[in-house]
Amino acid sequence: KILKNPQFVRLWAVGWMTGTMMWLEMLIVALLALELTNSPFLVSFTFFLRFIPMLFGFGISVIAERLNRKYLMIAGLAVQVIVSAVIAGLIISDQIEYWHLAVANLLVGTVMASEFPVRRTMIGEVVPRSGVGRAISLEQTGNSLFRILGPFLGGVFLATIGAQGGFLMGVVLYSIAILIAVSMKYQRPELPSLELASPKTQIIEGIQYIRRSQIMIGTLGVTLLINVFAFTYMSQQPIVAKQVLGASDVLIGVLQSVEGAGAFFGAAAIAIFARPRHYTRIYMWGSLLFLVSIVLFSQSTTYWVTLIILFFSGIGMSGFATMQSAIMIYVASPKMRG
């Protein structure tokens, strides 16, 4: 039934485009930054700039409650088209500098920070509450599938056309996503009480609402731990692959694609078998598997062993990423969901 919902399918398709480019860009930006600076620290700093806007998700959620989420999504996609086009032009003209990548990552990160209060919240609004877990699982399955494709294409572009090929592909995919979003029929739910509340009041209400739910507090606590101790390794993954494992650009892309394959397998299994009563256990064990896999990755010096480790890392990551959204959307009332 979910796949017969045309609005969900459109939101899902937009996720395909943005998911492919997110993973492609993360690989290309890391290796391009390393080439420009030869500094693993500055590579990490570009990722810091990409994710720091997530700290302002509360503010974005307040804006999203006051405006039509569809138009916010389209505006974000337009920013990504412009950023991709500018960076591609700078690379082609041989004028690219590190600060260009830094600014671009900050802008893209700001758009990424709107993913949860905008597009994923829209998914929760266009499907029945009982189908939220399946819908988010399908969303994560699609993201994982294109995570397989994104890094592989990034490695191929770097080895053949050059980094500009990846960003030009971004112009195309983000433009297609805009066309899909424009065709969507979406009506913002009427919530007068939220419209009358000030941003400060909404934020206070949100914090108070979360404090009354042990499940929400636990979910956000695990999210904090994973973001601090797990996802940070991704900025160094291409560097370790190049400097420790001696992998080529294409093989580095394969490494990340294998992790995406694990995430696809995990998300597909969740979509088929998971029920609401399973959500918290999947979230806990998936997060733990993700953390253990990263520790094993840090100790591996063999490319093929690393491939196996990253496959299981992807499975764990899918348990975390899928249930992170599904639990919050499922538990929250429609009024407080954003």
Side-chain angles (χ1 to χ4, degrees):
K1 291 182 179 180
I2 292 176
L3 292 178
K4 293 180 180 178
N5 183 326
Q7 308 319 317
F8 167 74
V9 171
R10 283 175 170 81
L11 287 169
W12 195 25
V14 171
W16 298 349
M17 307 298 150
T18 57
T20 300
M21 284 310 304
M22 180 179 76
W23 297 108
L24 186 153
E25 286 171 351
M26 288 176 70
L27 174 65
I28 289 182
V29 167
L31 293 178
L32 185 57
L34 183 64
E35 180 183 330
L36 291 171
T37 67
N38 198 32
S39 168
F41 170 77
L42 289 178
V43 174
S44 292
F45 188 67
T46 60
F47 281 75
F48 169 79
L49 292 173
R50 192 180 189 100
F51 290 106
I52 194 66
M54 293 287 185
L55 292 175
F56 306 102
F58 250 141
I60 295 174
S61 69
V62 170
I63 295 172
E65 292 296 341
R66 292 169 176 269
L67 300 175
N68 190 304
R69 287 190 173 91
K70 172 182 172 179
Y71 299 136
L72 285 175
M73 181 171 62
I74 293 171
L77 291 168
V79 169
Q80 289 172 300
V81 169
I82 294 169
V83 169
S84 294
V86 169
I87 296 298
L90 289 170
I91 296 173
I92 292 171
S93 61
D94 200 25
Q95 297 180 34
I96 188 71
E97 296 181 19
Y98 174 77
W99 72 267
H100 295 139
L101 290 179
V103 172
N105 270 267
L106 183 61
L107 290 172
V108 171
T110 302
V111 176
M112 284 175 56
S114 70
E115 170 76 1
F116 288 96
V118 177
R119 192 176 66 84
R120 289 209 173 185
T121 298
M122 289 172 70
I123 290 176
E125 291 172 343
V126 302
V127 301
R129 182 172 180 268
S130 61
V132 165
R134 292 270 176 103
I136 296 297
S137 297
L138 285 170
E139 155 76 10
Q140 189 63 27
T141 301
N143 183 51
S144 301
L145 178 61
F146 286 94
R147 188 183 167 190
I148 299 171
L149 180 64
F152 178 73
L153 288 176
V156 171
F157 280 134
L158 285 169
T160 55
I161 303 172
Q164 66 269 25
F167 290 104
L168 288 173
M169 183 176 177
V171 174
V172 174
L173 292 185
Y174 289 135
S175 297
I176 293 173
I178 289 175
L179 294 176
I180 295 171
V182 168
S183 71
M184 181 180 177
K185 295 179 181 179
Y186 169 77
Q187 289 295 326
R188 173 172 171 261
E190 295 296 330
L191 299 171
S193 60
L194 281 181
E195 292 177 356
L196 297 175
S198 68
K200 180 181 177 181
T201 300
Q202 284 187 251
I203 291 175
I204 292 173
E205 287 180 351
I207 294 173
Q208 291 175 340
Y209 185 77
I210 289 169
R211 287 177 62 187
R212 293 194 293 269
S213 171
Q214 288 186 341
I215 293 178
M216 285 189 176
I217 291 173
T219 301
L220 292 175
V222 172
T223 295
L224 177 63
L225 291 172
I226 293 297
N227 280 315
V228 172
F229 296 108
F231 280 111
T232 47
Y233 101 102
M234 296 181 69
S235 67
Q236 296 301 300
Q237 189 191 83
I239 298 172
V240 171
K242 181 176 281 289
Q243 297 183 348
V244 177
L245 303 178
S248 65
D249 290 340
V250 173
L251 290 180
I252 293 173
V254 170
L255 270 179
Q256 293 195 347
S257 294
V258 165
E259 192 172 44
F264 175 78
F265 176 82
I270 292 170
I272 295 170
F273 300 110
R275 298 295 181 268
R277 66 179 182 275
H278 303 142
Y279 288 177
T280 54
R281 279 177 288 175
I282 294 171
Y283 189 54
M284 179 184 70
W285 290 111
S287 300
L288 183 61
L289 177 59
F290 187 26
L291 288 168
V292 170
S293 298
I294 291 169
V295 174
L296 295 175
F297 167 80
S298 72
Q299 301 302 306
S300 176
T301 56
T302 305
Y303 181 83
W304 297 108
V305 172
T306 304
L307 279 178
I308 297 171
I309 292 171
L310 290 183
F311 179 80
F312 284 98
S313 170
I315 294 176
M317 185 189 297
S318 70
F320 164 79
T322 302
M323 292 297 103
Q324 179 191 37
S325 298
I327 290 171
M328 297 299 283
I329 292 174
Y330 182 80
V331 173
S333 67
K335 176 182 175 181
M336 300 302 293
R337 194 169 284 157

